[in-house]
Amino acid sequence: MTRRSGTQAEPGAGESVPATESPQTTAVTMLAPGRLAYLSSCRCLHRSSLTPRVLRGDRAAWCAAAALVLLQAAFVDVPFLHGWFGSAPIGPREGLVSAGLAVVVLLLTEPVKALGRARERYASGPTAQDGTRA
């Protein structure tokens, strides 16, 4: 792997990293929680995922989410992985921005799902009290 020219000092780090590695790591770190939020929302297409009931979900989904979080943390914080992937440590600000982006993704998917549910109800037409079509 070749090193890029131009370096920037990481706060609190004794060495400098190529200037493009920290923004690339930040971008990847923003994508991972955003995808997790989107996939979590998509598990509940026919109801809101902003309810406490969603927290009692599938154990496999929680294990996969935990694995994603741990692997992402390793990508950001484990020094030998920086050499393999061309990543660099990021600061707490970038981590908070990534978490905030995940919340935004989750909140933006809810109206889209609600519109889809409304469209399905409209397309199916009105139903009578006994469940038959009127």
Side-chain angles (χ1 to χ4, degrees), residues 24-47:
Q24 288 174 347
T25 304
T26 301
V28 170
T29 302
M30 287 182 178
L31 288 173
R35 283 187 305 218
L36 181 61
Y38 180 75
L39 292 173
S40 297
S41 179
C42 288
R43 289 181 56 229
C44 306
L45 286 177
H46 299 289
R47 66 182 190 275

mmCIF file with all atom_site columns, all heavy atoms in Angstrom, residues 24-47:
data_model
loop_
_atom_site.group_PDB
_atom_site.id
_atom_site.type_symbol
_atom_site.label_atom_id
_atom_site.label_alt_id
_atom_site.label_comp_id
_atom_site.label_asym_id
_atom_site.label_entity_id
_atom_site.label_seq_id
_atom_site.pdbx_PDB_ins_code
_atom_site.Cartn_x
_atom_site.Cartn_y
_atom_site.Cartn_z
_atom_site.occupancy
_atom_site.B_iso_or_equiv
_atom_site.pdbx_formal_charge
_atom_site.auth_seq_id
_atom_site.auth_comp_id
_atom_site.auth_asym_id
_atom_site.auth_atom_id
_atom_site.pdbx_PDB_model_num
ATOM 1   N N   . GLN A 1 24 ? -11.762 9.692  4.973  1.00 0.00 ? 24 GLN A N   1
ATOM 2   C CA  . GLN A 1 24 ? -12.277 8.421  4.445  1.00 0.00 ? 24 GLN A CA  1
ATOM 3   C C   . GLN A 1 24 ? -12.827 7.566  5.584  1.00 0.00 ? 24 GLN A C   1
ATOM 4   O O   . GLN A 1 24 ? -13.888 6.954  5.453  1.00 0.00 ? 24 GLN A O   1
ATOM 5   C CB  . GLN A 1 24 ? -11.178 7.654  3.714  1.00 0.00 ? 24 GLN A CB  1
ATOM 6   C CG  . GLN A 1 24 ? -10.798 8.268  2.397  1.00 0.00 ? 24 GLN A CG  1
ATOM 7   C CD  . GLN A 1 24 ? -9.600  7.572  1.767  1.00 0.00 ? 24 GLN A CD  1
ATOM 8   O OE1 . GLN A 1 24 ? -8.898  6.792  2.404  1.00 0.00 ? 24 GLN A OE1 1
ATOM 9   N NE2 . GLN A 1 24 ? -9.365  7.861  0.495  1.00 0.00 ? 24 GLN A NE2 1
ATOM 10  N N   . THR A 1 25 ? -12.129 7.530  6.696  1.00 0.00 ? 25 THR A N   1
ATOM 11  C CA  . THR A 1 25 ? -12.600 6.763  7.853  1.00 0.00 ? 25 THR A CA  1
ATOM 12  C C   . THR A 1 25 ? -13.894 7.351  8.378  1.00 0.00 ? 25 THR A C   1
ATOM 13  O O   . THR A 1 25 ? -14.826 6.623  8.729  1.00 0.00 ? 25 THR A O   1
ATOM 14  C CB  . THR A 1 25 ? -11.524 6.755  8.956  1.00 0.00 ? 25 THR A CB  1
ATOM 15  O OG1 . THR A 1 25 ? -10.312 6.250  8.404  1.00 0.00 ? 25 THR A OG1 1
ATOM 16  C CG2 . THR A 1 25 ? -11.950 5.900  10.132 1.00 0.00 ? 25 THR A CG2 1
ATOM 17  N N   . THR A 1 26 ? -13.986 8.683  8.412  1.00 0.00 ? 26 THR A N   1
ATOM 18  C CA  . THR A 1 26 ? -15.212 9.335  8.866  1.00 0.00 ? 26 THR A CA  1
ATOM 19  C C   . THR A 1 26 ? -16.372 8.979  7.950  1.00 0.00 ? 26 THR A C   1
ATOM 20  O O   . THR A 1 26 ? -17.476 8.694  8.414  1.00 0.00 ? 26 THR A O   1
ATOM 21  C CB  . THR A 1 26 ? -15.017 10.863 8.919  1.00 0.00 ? 26 THR A CB  1
ATOM 22  O OG1 . THR A 1 26 ? -13.948 11.152 9.819  1.00 0.00 ? 26 THR A OG1 1
ATOM 23  C CG2 . THR A 1 26 ? -16.272 11.559 9.392  1.00 0.00 ? 26 THR A CG2 1
ATOM 24  N N   . ALA A 1 27 ? -16.131 8.972  6.636  1.00 0.00 ? 27 ALA A N   1
ATOM 25  C CA  . ALA A 1 27 ? -17.200 8.628  5.687  1.00 0.00 ? 27 ALA A CA  1
ATOM 26  C C   . ALA A 1 27 ? -17.688 7.199  5.901  1.00 0.00 ? 27 ALA A C   1
ATOM 27  O O   . ALA A 1 27 ? -18.895 6.945  5.928  1.00 0.00 ? 27 ALA A O   1
ATOM 28  C CB  . ALA A 1 27 ? -16.708 8.819  4.260  1.00 0.00 ? 27 ALA A CB  1
ATOM 29  N N   . VAL A 1 28 ? -16.759 6.278  6.057  1.00 0.00 ? 28 VAL A N   1
ATOM 30  C CA  . VAL A 1 28 ? -17.150 4.881  6.292  1.00 0.00 ? 28 VAL A CA  1
ATOM 31  C C   . VAL A 1 28 ? -17.884 4.761  7.618  1.00 0.00 ? 28 VAL A C   1
ATOM 32  O O   . VAL A 1 28 ? -18.875 4.040  7.733  1.00 0.00 ? 28 VAL A O   1
ATOM 33  C CB  . VAL A 1 28 ? -15.907 3.965  6.259  1.00 0.00 ? 28 VAL A CB  1
ATOM 34  C CG1 . VAL A 1 28 ? -16.250 2.558  6.729  1.00 0.00 ? 28 VAL A CG1 1
ATOM 35  C CG2 . VAL A 1 28 ? -15.327 3.919  4.855  1.00 0.00 ? 28 VAL A CG2 1
ATOM 36  N N   . THR A 1 29 ? -17.428 5.496  8.616  1.00 0.00 ? 29 THR A N   1
ATOM 37  C CA  . THR A 1 29 ? -18.054 5.451  9.933  1.00 0.00 ? 29 THR A CA  1
ATOM 38  C C   . THR A 1 29 ? -19.451 6.044  9.890  1.00 0.00 ? 29 THR A C   1
ATOM 39  O O   . THR A 1 29 ? -20.321 5.653  10.661 1.00 0.00 ? 29 THR A O   1
ATOM 40  C CB  . THR A 1 29 ? -17.169 6.177  10.965 1.00 0.00 ? 29 THR A CB  1
ATOM 41  O OG1 . THR A 1 29 ? -15.888 5.541  10.964 1.00 0.00 ? 29 THR A OG1 1
ATOM 42  C CG2 . THR A 1 29 ? -17.750 6.101  12.355 1.00 0.00 ? 29 THR A CG2 1
ATOM 43  N N   . MET A 1 30 ? -19.709 6.978  9.002  1.00 0.00 ? 30 MET A N   1
ATOM 44  C CA  . MET A 1 30 ? -21.059 7.525  8.857  1.00 0.00 ? 30 MET A CA  1
ATOM 45  C C   . MET A 1 30 ? -21.980 6.540  8.134  1.00 0.00 ? 30 MET A C   1
ATOM 46  O O   . MET A 1 30 ? -23.170 6.480  8.430  1.00 0.00 ? 30 MET A O   1
ATOM 47  C CB  . MET A 1 30 ? -21.022 8.848  8.097  1.00 0.00 ? 30 MET A CB  1
ATOM 48  C CG  . MET A 1 30 ? -20.467 9.978  8.899  1.00 0.00 ? 30 MET A CG  1
ATOM 49  S SD  . MET A 1 30 ? -20.518 11.487 7.953  1.00 0.00 ? 30 MET A SD  1
ATOM 50  C CE  . MET A 1 30 ? -19.890 12.639 9.142  1.00 0.00 ? 30 MET A CE  1
ATOM 51  N N   . LEU A 1 31 ? -21.436 5.788  7.217  1.00 0.00 ? 31 LEU A N   1
ATOM 52  C CA  . LEU A 1 31 ? -22.262 4.831  6.470  1.00 0.00 ? 31 LEU A CA  1
ATOM 53  C C   . LEU A 1 31 ? -22.732 3.660  7.325  1.00 0.00 ? 31 LEU A C   1
ATOM 54  O O   . LEU A 1 31 ? -23.865 3.217  7.200  1.00 0.00 ? 31 LEU A O   1
ATOM 55  C CB  . LEU A 1 31 ? -21.488 4.305  5.259  1.00 0.00 ? 31 LEU A CB  1
ATOM 56  C CG  . LEU A 1 31 ? -21.285 5.289  4.124  1.00 0.00 ? 31 LEU A CG  1
ATOM 57  C CD1 . LEU A 1 31 ? -20.363 4.691  3.070  1.00 0.00 ? 31 LEU A CD1 1
ATOM 58  C CD2 . LEU A 1 31 ? -22.603 5.690  3.516  1.00 0.00 ? 31 LEU A CD2 1
ATOM 59  N N   . ALA A 1 32 ? -21.865 3.147  8.174  1.00 0.00 ? 32 ALA A N   1
ATOM 60  C CA  . ALA A 1 32 ? -22.203 1.942  8.940  1.00 0.00 ? 32 ALA A CA  1
ATOM 61  C C   . ALA A 1 32 ? -23.410 2.146  9.862  1.00 0.00 ? 32 ALA A C   1
ATOM 62  O O   . ALA A 1 32 ? -24.371 1.378  9.786  1.00 0.00 ? 32 ALA A O   1
ATOM 63  C CB  . ALA A 1 32 ? -20.985 1.448  9.717  1.00 0.00 ? 32 ALA A CB  1
ATOM 64  N N   . PRO A 1 33 ? -23.444 3.161  10.725 1.00 0.00 ? 33 PRO A N   1
ATOM 65  C CA  . PRO A 1 33 ? -24.637 3.326  11.564 1.00 0.00 ? 33 PRO A CA  1
ATOM 66  C C   . PRO A 1 33 ? -25.867 3.730  10.760 1.00 0.00 ? 33 PRO A C   1
ATOM 67  O O   . PRO A 1 33 ? -26.990 3.366  11.113 1.00 0.00 ? 33 PRO A O   1
ATOM 68  C CB  . PRO A 1 33 ? -24.259 4.425  12.562 1.00 0.00 ? 33 PRO A CB  1
ATOM 69  C CG  . PRO A 1 33 ? -22.872 4.791  12.304 1.00 0.00 ? 33 PRO A CG  1
ATOM 70  C CD  . PRO A 1 33 ? -22.388 4.066  11.106 1.00 0.00 ? 33 PRO A CD  1
ATOM 71  N N   . GLY A 1 34 ? -25.668 4.458  9.667  1.00 0.00 ? 34 GLY A N   1
ATOM 72  C CA  . GLY A 1 34 ? -26.798 4.820  8.812  1.00 0.00 ? 34 GLY A CA  1
ATOM 73  C C   . GLY A 1 34 ? -27.456 3.587  8.212  1.00 0.00 ? 34 GLY A C   1
ATOM 74  O O   . GLY A 1 34 ? -28.685 3.468  8.187  1.00 0.00 ? 34 GLY A O   1
ATOM 75  N N   . ARG A 1 35 ? -26.633 2.659  7.734  1.00 0.00 ? 35 ARG A N   1
ATOM 76  C CA  . ARG A 1 35 ? -27.177 1.399  7.192  1.00 0.00 ? 35 ARG A CA  1
ATOM 77  C C   . ARG A 1 35 ? -27.859 0.588  8.272  1.00 0.00 ? 35 ARG A C   1
ATOM 78  O O   . ARG A 1 35 ? -28.910 -0.015 8.044  1.00 0.00 ? 35 ARG A O   1
ATOM 79  C CB  . ARG A 1 35 ? -26.060 0.563  6.564  1.00 0.00 ? 35 ARG A CB  1
ATOM 80  C CG  . ARG A 1 35 ? -25.616 1.045  5.227  1.00 0.00 ? 35 ARG A CG  1
ATOM 81  C CD  . ARG A 1 35 ? -24.643 0.066  4.635  1.00 0.00 ? 35 ARG A CD  1
ATOM 82  N NE  . ARG A 1 35 ? -23.554 -0.140 5.576  1.00 0.00 ? 35 ARG A NE  1
ATOM 83  C CZ  . ARG A 1 35 ? -22.285 -0.284 5.260  1.00 0.00 ? 35 ARG A CZ  1
ATOM 84  N NH1 . ARG A 1 35 ? -21.938 -0.279 4.011  1.00 0.00 ? 35 ARG A NH1 1
ATOM 85  N NH2 . ARG A 1 35 ? -21.370 -0.454 6.178  1.00 0.00 ? 35 ARG A NH2 1
ATOM 86  N N   . LEU A 1 36 ? -27.271 0.569  9.451  1.00 0.00 ? 36 LEU A N   1
ATOM 87  C CA  . LEU A 1 36 ? -27.870 -0.171 10.563 1.00 0.00 ? 36 LEU A CA  1
ATOM 88  C C   . LEU A 1 36 ? -29.239 0.407  10.910 1.00 0.00 ? 36 LEU A C   1
ATOM 89  O O   . LEU A 1 36 ? -30.203 -0.339 11.102 1.00 0.00 ? 36 LEU A O   1
ATOM 90  C CB  . LEU A 1 36 ? -26.944 -0.142 11.776 1.00 0.00 ? 36 LEU A CB  1
ATOM 91  C CG  . LEU A 1 36 ? -27.417 -0.892 13.004 1.00 0.00 ? 36 LEU A CG  1
ATOM 92  C CD1 . LEU A 1 36 ? -27.598 -2.375 12.706 1.00 0.00 ? 36 LEU A CD1 1
ATOM 93  C CD2 . LEU A 1 36 ? -26.432 -0.698 14.142 1.00 0.00 ? 36 LEU A CD2 1
ATOM 94  N N   . ALA A 1 37 ? -29.335 1.724  10.953 1.00 0.00 ? 37 ALA A N   1
ATOM 95  C CA  . ALA A 1 37 ? -30.623 2.362  11.255 1.00 0.00 ? 37 ALA A CA  1
ATOM 96  C C   . ALA A 1 37 ? -31.644 2.060  10.163 1.00 0.00 ? 37 ALA A C   1
ATOM 97  O O   . ALA A 1 37 ? -32.806 1.756  10.450 1.00 0.00 ? 37 ALA A O   1
ATOM 98  C CB  . ALA A 1 37 ? -30.441 3.871  11.405 1.00 0.00 ? 37 ALA A CB  1
ATOM 99  N N   . TYR A 1 38 ? -31.229 2.120  8.909  1.00 0.00 ? 38 TYR A N   1
ATOM 100 C CA  . TYR A 1 38 ? -32.138 1.853  7.797  1.00 0.00 ? 38 TYR A CA  1
ATOM 101 C C   . TYR A 1 38 ? -32.626 0.403  7.822  1.00 0.00 ? 38 TYR A C   1
ATOM 102 O O   . TYR A 1 38 ? -33.819 0.133  7.682  1.00 0.00 ? 38 TYR A O   1
ATOM 103 C CB  . TYR A 1 38 ? -31.454 2.164  6.467  1.00 0.00 ? 38 TYR A CB  1
ATOM 104 C CG  . TYR A 1 38 ? -32.328 1.914  5.284  1.00 0.00 ? 38 TYR A CG  1
ATOM 105 C CD1 . TYR A 1 38 ? -33.355 2.800  4.965  1.00 0.00 ? 38 TYR A CD1 1
ATOM 106 C CD2 . TYR A 1 38 ? -32.165 0.787  4.486  1.00 0.00 ? 38 TYR A CD2 1
ATOM 107 C CE1 . TYR A 1 38 ? -34.184 2.575  3.879  1.00 0.00 ? 38 TYR A CE1 1
ATOM 108 C CE2 . TYR A 1 38 ? -32.983 0.561  3.403  1.00 0.00 ? 38 TYR A CE2 1
ATOM 109 C CZ  . TYR A 1 38 ? -33.983 1.454  3.100  1.00 0.00 ? 38 TYR A CZ  1
ATOM 110 O OH  . TYR A 1 38 ? -34.806 1.219  2.037  1.00 0.00 ? 38 TYR A OH  1
ATOM 111 N N   . LEU A 1 39 ? -31.712 -0.515 8.018  1.00 0.00 ? 39 LEU A N   1
ATOM 112 C CA  . LEU A 1 39 ? -32.100 -1.926 8.058  1.00 0.00 ? 39 LEU A CA  1
ATOM 113 C C   . LEU A 1 39 ? -32.989 -2.226 9.260  1.00 0.00 ? 39 LEU A C   1
ATOM 114 O O   . LEU A 1 39 ? -33.924 -3.018 9.163  1.00 0.00 ? 39 LEU A O   1
ATOM 115 C CB  . LEU A 1 39 ? -30.861 -2.815 8.060  1.00 0.00 ? 39 LEU A CB  1
ATOM 116 C CG  . LEU A 1 39 ? -30.054 -2.794 6.757  1.00 0.00 ? 39 LEU A CG  1
ATOM 117 C CD1 . LEU A 1 39 ? -28.753 -3.568 6.921  1.00 0.00 ? 39 LEU A CD1 1
ATOM 118 C CD2 . LEU A 1 39 ? -30.870 -3.340 5.604  1.00 0.00 ? 39 LEU A CD2 1
ATOM 119 N N   . SER A 1 40 ? -32.721 -1.585 10.388 1.00 0.00 ? 40 SER A N   1
ATOM 120 C CA  . SER A 1 40 ? -33.575 -1.762 11.563 1.00 0.00 ? 40 SER A CA  1
ATOM 121 C C   . SER A 1 40 ? -34.974 -1.250 11.281 1.00 0.00 ? 40 SER A C   1
ATOM 122 O O   . SER A 1 40 ? -35.966 -1.867 11.678 1.00 0.00 ? 40 SER A O   1
ATOM 123 C CB  . SER A 1 40 ? -32.986 -1.026 12.763 1.00 0.00 ? 40 SER A CB  1
ATOM 124 O OG  . SER A 1 40 ? -31.748 -1.570 13.097 1.00 0.00 ? 40 SER A OG  1
ATOM 125 N N   . SER A 1 41 ? -35.065 -0.140 10.596 1.00 0.00 ? 41 SER A N   1
ATOM 126 C CA  . SER A 1 41 ? -36.369 0.415  10.252 1.00 0.00 ? 41 SER A CA  1
ATOM 127 C C   . SER A 1 41 ? -37.106 -0.488 9.266  1.00 0.00 ? 41 SER A C   1
ATOM 128 O O   . SER A 1 41 ? -38.317 -0.670 9.376  1.00 0.00 ? 41 SER A O   1
ATOM 129 C CB  . SER A 1 41 ? -36.193 1.809  9.663  1.00 0.00 ? 41 SER A CB  1
ATOM 130 O OG  . SER A 1 41 ? -37.428 2.349  9.296  1.00 0.00 ? 41 SER A OG  1
ATOM 131 N N   . CYS A 1 42 ? -36.381 -1.054 8.332  1.00 0.00 ? 42 CYS A N   1
ATOM 132 C CA  . CYS A 1 42 ? -37.007 -1.904 7.312  1.00 0.00 ? 42 CYS A CA  1
ATOM 133 C C   . CYS A 1 42 ? -37.516 -3.221 7.882  1.00 0.00 ? 42 CYS A C   1
ATOM 134 O O   . CYS A 1 42 ? -38.332 -3.889 7.247  1.00 0.00 ? 42 CYS A O   1
ATOM 135 C CB  . CYS A 1 42 ? -36.028 -2.177 6.180  1.00 0.00 ? 42 CYS A CB  1
ATOM 136 S SG  . CYS A 1 42 ? -35.736 -0.729 5.155  1.00 0.00 ? 42 CYS A SG  1
ATOM 137 N N   . ARG A 1 43 ? -37.066 -3.605 9.054  1.00 0.00 ? 43 ARG A N   1
ATOM 138 C CA  . ARG A 1 43 ? -37.586 -4.825 9.682  1.00 0.00 ? 43 ARG A CA  1
ATOM 139 C C   . ARG A 1 43 ? -39.053 -4.677 10.019 1.00 0.00 ? 43 ARG A C   1
ATOM 140 O O   . ARG A 1 43 ? -39.762 -5.669 10.172 1.00 0.00 ? 43 ARG A O   1
ATOM 141 C CB  . ARG A 1 43 ? -36.813 -5.133 10.965 1.00 0.00 ? 43 ARG A CB  1
ATOM 142 C CG  . ARG A 1 43 ? -35.403 -5.608 10.730 1.00 0.00 ? 43 ARG A CG  1
ATOM 143 C CD  . ARG A 1 43 ? -34.688 -5.935 12.025 1.00 0.00 ? 43 ARG A CD  1
ATOM 144 N NE  . ARG A 1 43 ? -35.428 -6.917 12.800 1.00 0.00 ? 43 ARG A NE  1
ATOM 145 C CZ  . ARG A 1 43 ? -35.703 -6.790 14.087 1.00 0.00 ? 43 ARG A CZ  1
ATOM 146 N NH1 . ARG A 1 43 ? -35.313 -5.736 14.751 1.00 0.00 ? 43 ARG A NH1 1
ATOM 147 N NH2 . ARG A 1 43 ? -36.355 -7.727 14.724 1.00 0.00 ? 43 ARG A NH2 1
ATOM 148 N N   . CYS A 1 44 ? -39.533 -3.449 10.155 1.00 0.00 ? 44 CYS A N   1
ATOM 149 C CA  . CYS A 1 44 ? -40.919 -3.173 10.547 1.00 0.00 ? 44 CYS A CA  1
ATOM 150 C C   . CYS A 1 44 ? -41.587 -2.322 9.475  1.00 0.00 ? 44 CYS A C   1
ATOM 151 O O   . CYS A 1 44 ? -41.949 -1.172 9.727  1.00 0.00 ? 44 CYS A O   1
ATOM 152 C CB  . CYS A 1 44 ? -40.956 -2.436 11.873 1.00 0.00 ? 44 CYS A CB  1
ATOM 153 S SG  . CYS A 1 44 ? -40.071 -3.232 13.195 1.00 0.00 ? 44 CYS A SG  1
ATOM 154 N N   . LEU A 1 45 ? -41.766 -2.857 8.292  1.00 0.00 ? 45 LEU A N   1
ATOM 155 C CA  . LEU A 1 45 ? -42.342 -2.064 7.204  1.00 0.00 ? 45 LEU A CA  1
ATOM 156 C C   . LEU A 1 45 ? -43.797 -1.712 7.431  1.00 0.00 ? 45 LEU A C   1
ATOM 157 O O   . LEU A 1 45 ? -44.264 -0.670 6.993  1.00 0.00 ? 45 LEU A O   1
ATOM 158 C CB  . LEU A 1 45 ? -42.203 -2.810 5.875  1.00 0.00 ? 45 LEU A CB  1
ATOM 159 C CG  . LEU A 1 45 ? -40.805 -2.852 5.286  1.00 0.00 ? 45 LEU A CG  1
ATOM 160 C CD1 . LEU A 1 45 ? -40.806 -3.690 4.006  1.00 0.00 ? 45 LEU A CD1 1
ATOM 161 C CD2 . LEU A 1 45 ? -40.276 -1.472 5.027  1.00 0.00 ? 45 LEU A CD2 1
ATOM 162 N N   . HIS A 1 46 ? -44.528 -2.566 8.122  1.00 0.00 ? 46 HIS A N   1
ATOM 163 C CA  . HIS A 1 46 ? -45.967 -2.356 8.265  1.00 0.00 ? 46 HIS A CA  1
ATOM 164 C C   . HIS A 1 46 ? -46.359 -1.706 9.591  1.00 0.00 ? 46 HIS A C   1
ATOM 165 O O   . HIS A 1 46 ? -47.526 -1.646 9.940  1.00 0.00 ? 46 HIS A O   1
ATOM 166 C CB  . HIS A 1 46 ? -46.713 -3.677 8.070  1.00 0.00 ? 46 HIS A CB  1
ATOM 167 C CG  . HIS A 1 46 ? -46.482 -4.234 6.703  1.00 0.00 ? 46 HIS A CG  1
ATOM 168 N ND1 . HIS A 1 46 ? -47.007 -3.669 5.571  1.00 0.00 ? 46 HIS A ND1 1
ATOM 169 C CD2 . HIS A 1 46 ? -45.725 -5.273 6.280  1.00 0.00 ? 46 HIS A CD2 1
ATOM 170 C CE1 . HIS A 1 46 ? -46.619 -4.343 4.507  1.00 0.00 ? 46 HIS A CE1 1
ATOM 171 N NE2 . HIS A 1 46 ? -45.834 -5.327 4.912  1.00 0.00 ? 46 HIS A NE2 1
ATOM 172 N N   . ARG A 1 47 ? -45.364 -1.209 10.318 1.00 0.00 ? 47 ARG A N   1
ATOM 173 C CA  . ARG A 1 47 ? -45.618 -0.440 11.532 1.00 0.00 ? 47 ARG A CA  1
ATOM 174 C C   . ARG A 1 47 ? -44.390 0.428  11.803 1.00 0.00 ? 47 ARG A C   1
ATOM 175 O O   . ARG A 1 47 ? -43.335 0.230  11.220 1.00 0.00 ? 47 ARG A O   1
ATOM 176 C CB  . ARG A 1 47 ? -45.930 -1.343 12.719 1.00 0.00 ? 47 ARG A CB  1
ATOM 177 C CG  . ARG A 1 47 ? -44.777 -2.217 13.157 1.00 0.00 ? 47 ARG A CG  1
ATOM 178 C CD  . ARG A 1 47 ? -45.179 -3.122 14.310 1.00 0.00 ? 47 ARG A CD  1
ATOM 179 N NE  . ARG A 1 47 ? -44.061 -3.795 14.883 1.00 0.00 ? 47 ARG A NE  1
ATOM 180 C CZ  . ARG A 1 47 ? -43.542 -4.920 14.433 1.00 0.00 ? 47 ARG A CZ  1
ATOM 181 N NH1 . ARG A 1 47 ? -44.049 -5.500 13.383 1.00 0.00 ? 47 ARG A NH1 1
ATOM 182 N NH2 . ARG A 1 47 ? -42.515 -5.465 15.038 1.00 0.00 ? 47 ARG A NH2 1
#
